[in-house]
Amino acid sequence: MTTVPSRPRAARFATFMFFGLNGFAMGMWVVHIPNIERATGISHSTLGALLLVLGGAAFAGMQVAGPLVDRLGHRRLVPAAGVLLGLAVCGPGFADSWWTLGLTLIGFGFGNGAIDVGMNSHAVVVERAYPRPIMAAFHAMWSIGGAIAAVIGAATLGAGVPTGVTLTGTGLLCVLLSVVSARFLMEPAAVPSPDVPSAAEPAPVAGRRTPGRLVWLLGLLALALMLSEGVANDWAALHMEKVLGTSASTAALAYGAFAVAMTTGRFLTDRVAAWAGPAAIVRYGAVLAAVGLTTAAAAPWVPVSLVGWALFGLGLSGGVPQLFTAAGNLDTRASGTLMARVVGLGYVGLLAGPALIGGLTRWMPLNVTFAVPVVLCLLAAVFAGVLTPKPEPVEQPVGS
């Protein structure tokens, strides 16, 4: 067995920390949205518009952070983004109008986008020092951070702690841990070569094809898979309640089944990817996701539908981490820039999916609209071969 040096192990732990902090900060914001909406006196429609501002700022943060991480390095950019996120998450707790909330969400979104690209780019650097894939576990930590936020947020809300106090505590924690973790981060030049070739090496996707075309193909695959994920985030519970006629508490189990299966799958994906390869993870995972969502949409019984949502989450769990790893390895000199494009397109899908489904419900039943993510998952399965290495041409000796 290959022994991983202590520095990559420390960098891996620090990367886990940043993924968990990002999920925790986003989770604390989400659970306090109803309180913030009441405190600012805004309507649901105004809140929806401000959430689009948040998404747009996050996309901008991704595109700015990508080139900066290539220029400044991970040890500067990632902690700086963590500090910015920590300071910005405090703001919504003190907003008292639509425009003050909007201003705070611009900073919050920008910081979230910047750390998203920075920590994913650093995760690729750390993974290169390992003899096996480790990217999916980082994404699982993001989910764990969100789950911890849901528990702590529920407790503070139940205790009547003011939103500003809770979010300020969240921000200070992000700042503190970002500063402490900075010294453990790695730069590409510092990555040692493991004795066993890593599954995260550039070869699986770079081959003889141009990174320019590949990065857009990877981005479109990320858009398809993350659009499907966004549909589950916003419509799983509503599907159970409106289509199957369940209570609100039972309907919540649909998203719960999806989220638990996705988190579990991400902890398992790395080992499977080391054996089967990234293309197989995307291809068969997308097929499983399509089968799961079709089952959830067509099932007339709640238990069968819950199984479908769980299969949907399990199928989607491993694909996006493989795409991010591939993007970061296309060109190690511009890893952050390429990562920003793929993460940015995926984020567009995450935001667009729920809105697209909502628009389609004007003309067709909710469960029928799920045909859109099903088709996108099947297309992702078809084009998963972009992650398969192409054999180098063998030059024949002259006169043979």
Side-chain angles (χ1 to χ4, degrees), residues 5-98:
S6 58
R7 187 172 183 184
R9 288 202 303 270
R12 182 186 184 189
F13 181 80
T15 310
F16 274 128
M17 188 72 67
F18 279 107
F19 272 84
L21 280 176
N22 186 215
F24 182 73
M26 289 301 297
M28 291 299 280
W29 148 250
V30 168
V31 298
H32 287 90
I33 285 178
N35 271 13
I36 294 170
E37 186 181 40
R38 285 191 293 270
T40 54
I42 60 177
S43 64
H44 291 329
S45 59
T46 301
L47 176 63
L50 292 176
L51 291 177
L52 288 178
V53 171
L54 172 67
F59 184 83
M62 293 173 187
Q63 305 315 306
V64 171
L68 282 180
V69 76
D70 294 328
R71 179 178 301 178
L72 301 178
H74 299 92
R75 299 186 70 177
R76 294 181 180 179
L77 188 281
V78 179
V83 170
L84 174 59
L85 180 70
L87 296 176
V89 76
C90 305
F94 299 99
D96 57 4
S97 63
W98 69 267

Side-chain angles (χ1 to χ4, degrees), residues 122-138:
H122 183 259
V124 173
V125 172
V126 177
E127 190 178 43
R128 293 191 198 121
Y130 276 74
R132 62 187 185 278
I134 58 174
M135 176 65 87
F138 292 134

Side-chain angles (χ1 to χ4, degrees), residues 7 21 73 87 95 115 125 149 184 268 310-311 322 350 354 363 384:
R7 187 172 183 184
L21 280 176
L87 296 176
I115 196 172
V125 172
F184 300 107
L268 299 175
L311 292 176
Q322 308 308 310
L350 191 67
W363 297 285

Side-chain angles (χ1 to χ4, degrees), residues 24 32 65 121 124 128 175 179 204 314 317 354:
F24 182 73
H32 287 90
S121 177
V124 173
R128 293 191 198 121
V175 170
V179 172
L314 186 63
S317 61

